[in-house]
Amino acid sequence: MKIREIFNKKTVFSFEIFPPKKTSSIQTIYNTLEELKGLSPDFISVTFSAGGSGNGGLACEIASKIKDEYGITPMIHLPCINYTKEEITSTIEEIKSRGIENILALRGDKNPDIEPKNDFSHASDLISFIKEKGDFDIAGACYPECHFEAESMVEDIRNLKIKVEAGADHLISQLFFDNEAFFKFREMAEIAGINVPIEAGIMPVVNKNQIERMVTMCGASLPNKFVKMMQKYENNPQALRDAGIAYAVNQIVDLVASGVDGIHLYTMNNAYVARKISEAVSGVIGAEREA
């Protein structure tokens, strides 16, 4: 199923997972999927190496299993900055051969140790390229608090519109902890004429190292109530985990009540956390779907 069709029917609820490290068994992710499948997400996205490390085949294998063995719609991430047109074409052909219809088109993070290829400079270039290769559902990424390389939010929204005009069917946001930032971004996107569905990316924070790492990477701002939570429970792992789950649940309830198109949960391959959040919001999202 193409994901764009799901947005026409309901508030979408989806998960992101990532392949295991080369030092870990692939069975670890299948164990996670065994637990996630019972939560009935609308789709599961699978990340793909942005740094040219070559885990694309593994990502395709996992996405195939999500579809064929778990009966869940998969989406595969496809970064482009460190790949040639020939390499991207080969990956698209493999995706197509496995019956996968959904791609998240990304520029990918720049790796200081790898010289970027020159075939794709922006995600919009990749989106146009994918459109030429087959009838895929194409998602794009967006940044509620501005991409760190953009000079301003206005420039970032302008670039986002180029991405949508290139053929992105819907968007998935970078993680954020302040819903007001998302609402402001959504309003700016609407004013700019961006009218595709936008899923809100939510990452439950369950340990201090995770939040420090993610904020450094994506630049998400931290509301005062979030900082207080971190400070109070940073030395109590179980309490911080439970507080992080509760914070994510409150974010989701507020977003759904405000008419969000969907929620994309960054699971970090943590089935326990994904299950707790899914159980807590199932009635809220279910009620919204029936409205």
Side-chain angles (χ1 to χ4, degrees):
M1 173 182 285
K2 291 183 173 63
I3 291 168
R4 60 176 175 257
E5 299 170 5
I6 307 176
F7 284 101
N8 296 327
K9 303 175 183 178
K10 58 176 69 173
T11 302
V12 171
F13 187 57
S14 58
F15 298 153
E16 177 187 288
I17 63 168
F18 52 83
K21 296 179 180 179
K22 291 182 179 180
T23 54
S24 301
S25 168
I26 192 172
Q27 188 59 43
T28 59
I29 192 61
Y30 293 148
N31 292 341
T32 299
L33 286 168
E34 281 290 336
E35 297 187 59
L36 294 179
K37 69 177 182 180
L39 303 178
S40 302
D42 291 307
F43 71 89
I44 296 178
S45 73
V46 185
T47 66
F48 184 111
S49 171
S53 63
N55 78 337
L58 184 57
C60 287
E61 178 183 335
I62 294 169
S64 290
K65 188 153 187 169
I66 289 171
K67 176 176 71 72
D68 297 332
E69 296 192 24
Y70 299 109
I72 298 170
T73 298
M75 167 186 281
I76 191 160
H77 295 213
L78 185 58
C80 61
I81 193 171
N82 293 315
Y83 297 93
T84 64
K85 285 185 177 180
E86 290 74 19
E87 290 170 326
I88 292 293
T89 296
S90 177
T91 300
I92 291 173
E93 289 305 314
E94 180 176 2
I95 292 171
K96 188 185 301 184
S97 72
R98 291 176 179 269
I100 298 168
E101 299 181 286
N102 307 286
I103 297 175
L104 174 56
L106 304 163
R107 185 199 70 176
D109 298 327
K110 293 180 179 179
N111 186 330
D113 299 323
I114 298 176
E115 184 70 25
K117 306 291 173 61
N118 297 317
D119 288 358
F120 302 96
S121 298
H122 306 285
S124 56
D125 300 330
L126 177 61
I127 291 171
S128 298
F129 190 75
I130 295 171
K131 295 283 285 187
E132 297 173 359
K133 298 297 181 181
D135 181 24
F136 292 97
D137 175 280
I138 305 175
C142 58
Y143 301 83
E145 297 180 88
C146 192
H147 192 283
F148 69 93
E149 293 181 18
E151 293 184 0
S152 67
M153 197 68 193
V154 171
E155 180 191 43
D156 201 30
I157 292 289
R158 186 182 298 118
N159 291 335
L160 182 61
K161 188 170 184 181
I162 292 172
K163 192 182 297 185
V164 171
E165 290 174 342
D169 295 294
H170 49 96
L171 302 169
I172 298 176
S173 88
Q174 179 60 272
L175 64 92
F176 60 91
F177 302 104
D178 184 351
N179 283 5
E180 290 305 315
F182 178 84
F183 296 143
K184 183 178 180 180
F185 159 77
R186 186 174 62 174
E187 181 179 9
M188 291 180 68
E190 183 178 354
I191 291 171
I194 296 170
N195 55 11
V196 297
I198 303 174
E199 266 197 288
I202 298 297
M203 177 176 285
V205 174
V206 295
N207 65 70
K208 185 179 180 182
N209 291 338
Q210 177 192 9
I211 182 59
E212 291 175 344
R213 181 174 66 253
M214 294 311 302
V215 170
T216 299
M217 289 176 63
C218 71
S221 62
L222 302 181
N224 188 50
K225 62 181 179 180
F226 185 90
V227 174
K228 286 182 177 179
M229 177 190 79
M230 292 295 300
Q231 291 175 339
K232 183 172 181 62
Y233 302 117
E234 62 181 346
N235 296 317
N236 185 332
Q238 183 173 341
L240 180 57
R241 181 197 64 191
D242 292 346
I245 290 171
Y247 190 94
V249 168
N250 287 336
Q251 272 194 277
I252 292 170
V253 170
D254 182 43
L255 288 162
V256 173
S258 300
V260 71
D261 295 310
I263 300 293
H264 192 60
L265 191 66
Y266 295 107
T267 70
M268 302 301 289
N269 292 2
N270 190 322
Y272 173 85
V273 173
R275 184 175 71 254
K276 288 295 184 181
I277 291 174
S278 298
E279 291 172 350
V281 304
S282 61
V284 173
I285 293 181
E288 178 71 10
R289 288 172 175 174
E290 295 167 2

